[in-house]
């Protein structure tokens, strides 16, 4: 596996891959890799000849009081996992590479970015869209893979690629979970032993809520029960539990929908979501 740590070292290997006619798939990450990330690498290998994994803890997608400085960073373990996963190239640009002096351009995907996580993390999705657009322009991959774990992010990136005519297939991949249902996340490392047990309640509550919705119970009752169950389970506060259309994230009444939740456990903000087929 080739490891590239600077923007100006990227051009040559990309040009070589393209000259050799290799289809490229990109998996953007913030590192502190776990099996969820590796499942994206595996899916990428099935779709392309060469897999590039980027690792960049993007400062512009963190709010001023968020966890940018303490976000887990473990380059040695990440490189080992990526080598084992069969990735072809790891790209670890510096902040100066991605935001050269005077950088003044941002990408905001209006509408869909201001709701759900966007309402609680102002500027977050502008940071995400800007950095993903830059990675896509630098690499011009055939496909880029994103986890459904960050469901709103996946739809925002799809919208952006469509709106900006970025010639890439945006692929979603299912959420990988721990044995007790907790969605894998780099931020799970923050959880204390007790919080780790409580955290699994989020996916259980989402599963129960999905079952209730699919058997015809009204959304209002199900969502307010889910919010109070999260608090009872030990979550300190609930940012949202919402039922939305699976493609647009607008209000859902029937058909393919998504139940999405964000809540705080101690100092950790956890998110999760699940597909719901409304009757
Ligand atoms: P992150 O490093 O958290 O920014 O995540 C990088 C990519 O991995 C994003 O597309 C995430 O949605 C995806 N991802 C994170 N956790 C999981 C998971 N548990 N299952 C599947 N994909 C995931």
């Amino acid at each position: 596996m080739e490891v590239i740590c600077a923007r100006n070292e990227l051009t040559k290997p990309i040009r070589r891959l393209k000259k050799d006619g290799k289809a490229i798939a990109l998996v953007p990450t913030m590192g502190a890799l776990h099996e969820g990330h590796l499942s994206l690498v595996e899916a990428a290998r099935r779709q392309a000849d060469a897999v590039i994994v980027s690792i960049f803890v993007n400062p512009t997608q963190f709010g001023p009081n968020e966890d940018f400085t303490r976000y887990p960073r473990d380059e040695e373990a990440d490189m080992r996992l990526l080598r084992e996963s069969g990735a072809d190239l790891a790209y670890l640009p510096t902040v100066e590479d991605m935001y050269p002096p005077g950088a003044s351009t941002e990408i905001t995907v209006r509408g869909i970015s201001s709701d759900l996580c966007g309402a609680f993390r102002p500027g977050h999705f502008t940071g995400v869209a800007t950095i993903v657009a830059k990675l896509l322009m630098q690499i011009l991959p055939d496909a880029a893979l994103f986890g459904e774990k960050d469901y709103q992010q996946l739809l925002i990136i799809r919208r952006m690629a469509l709106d900006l005519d970025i010639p890439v297939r945006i692929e979603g991949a299912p959420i990988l979970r721990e044995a007790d249902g907790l969605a894998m996340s780099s931020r799970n490392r923050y959880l204390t032993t007790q919080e780790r047990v409580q955290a699994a309640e989020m996916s259980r509550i989402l599963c129960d809520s999905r079952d209730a919705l699919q058997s015809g119970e009204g959304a209002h009752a199900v969502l307010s029960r889910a919010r109070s169950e999260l608090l009872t389970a030990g979550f300190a506060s609930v940012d949202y539990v919402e039922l939305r259309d699976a493609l647009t994230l607008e209000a859902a009444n029937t058909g393919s929908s998504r139940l999405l939740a964000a809540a705080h456990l101690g100092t950790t903000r956890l998110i999760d979501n699940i597909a719901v087929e409304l009757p």
Side-chain angles (χ1 to χ4, degrees):
M1 182 180 77
E2 203 164 347
V3 180
I4 301 284
C5 296
R7 162 84 181 93
N8 61 10
E9 291 168 16
L10 185 66
T11 319
K12 230 194 228 164
I14 300 281
R15 209 173 271 161
R16 193 181 60 233
L17 288 170
K18 295 203 167 165
K19 191 163 151 270
D20 293 347
K22 300 255 162 87
I24 299 174
L26 169 67
V27 179
T29 80
M30 296 207 299
L33 301 178
H34 50 70
E35 283 172 51
H37 295 116
L38 300 180
S39 74
L40 295 184
V41 177
E42 234 168 74
R45 282 176 49 200
R46 288 196 295 270
Q47 323 208 345
D49 307 309
V51 176
I52 300 180
V53 178
S54 63
I55 297 182
F56 182 64
V57 185
N58 175 27
T60 68
Q61 69 187 70
F62 290 81
N65 299 314
E66 292 186 351
D67 55 344
F68 174 66
T69 47
R70 72 167 182 142
Y71 194 83
R73 291 158 170 91
D74 191 346
E75 194 178 313
E76 204 180 306
D78 287 352
M79 290 308 105
R80 184 170 38 78
L81 289 170
L82 286 185
R83 281 200 177 91
E84 287 166 11
S85 74
D88 297 274
L89 190 153
Y91 177 42
L92 295 77
T94 63
V95 172
E96 294 70 31
D97 273 333
M98 296 313 268
Y99 298 104
S104 321
T105 307
E106 284 180 342
I107 293 179
T108 295
V109 181
R110 287 197 308 264
I112 189 169
S113 290
S114 51
D115 200 10
L116 300 169
C117 280
F120 293 90
R121 304 184 69 189
H124 168 65
F125 286 122
T126 292
V128 170
T130 304
I131 207 67
V132 172
K134 288 173 66 75
L135 290 166
L136 293 175
M137 303 306 268
Q138 290 176 2
I139 295 165
L140 287 175
D142 299 85
L145 287 91
F146 295 85
E148 290 181 347
K149 163 80 183 2
D150 300 276
Y151 194 80
Q152 187 176 12
Q153 167 176 285
L154 167 64
L155 296 192
I156 287 169
I157 299 299
R158 275 219 174 104
R159 181 79 250 171
M160 175 188 76
L162 191 71
D163 289 352
L164 295 181
D165 298 312
I166 303 179
V168 61
R169 265 187 349 264
I170 303 297
E171 303 277 356
I175 303 175
L176 241 77
R177 296 179 179 281
E178 305 287 355
D180 63 1
L182 175 65
M184 289 182 187
S185 163
S186 305
R187 288 191 168 97
N188 292 349
R189 299 182 189 201
Y190 299 150
L191 299 170
T192 64
T193 312
Q194 191 201 354
E195 287 167 353
R196 172 62 191 81
V197 175
Q198 294 167 318
E201 286 297 291
M202 182 179 261
S203 68
R204 186 201 55 80
I205 291 165
L206 288 182
C207 286
D208 289 354
S209 304
R210 172 204 54 200
D211 295 346
L213 289 163
Q214 291 188 161
S215 56
E217 193 178 340
H220 184 75
V222 174
L223 298 182
S224 60
R225 187 169 64 236
R227 287 180 201 116
S228 67
E229 281 184 6
L230 282 168
L231 296 173
T232 308
F235 283 79
S237 62
V238 177
D239 282 355
Y240 61 81
V241 179
E242 295 287 348
L243 179 67
R244 296 300 174 85
D245 179 89
L247 290 180
T248 63
L249 290 186
E250 284 164 6
N253 297 314
T254 53
S256 294
S257 309
R258 208 84 192 177
L259 182 62
L260 307 105
H264 297 260
L265 194 53
T267 57
T268 309
R269 184 177 188 272
L270 296 179
I271 59 171
D272 199 353
N273 67 86
I274 189 170
V276 180
E277 278 304 318
L278 289 180

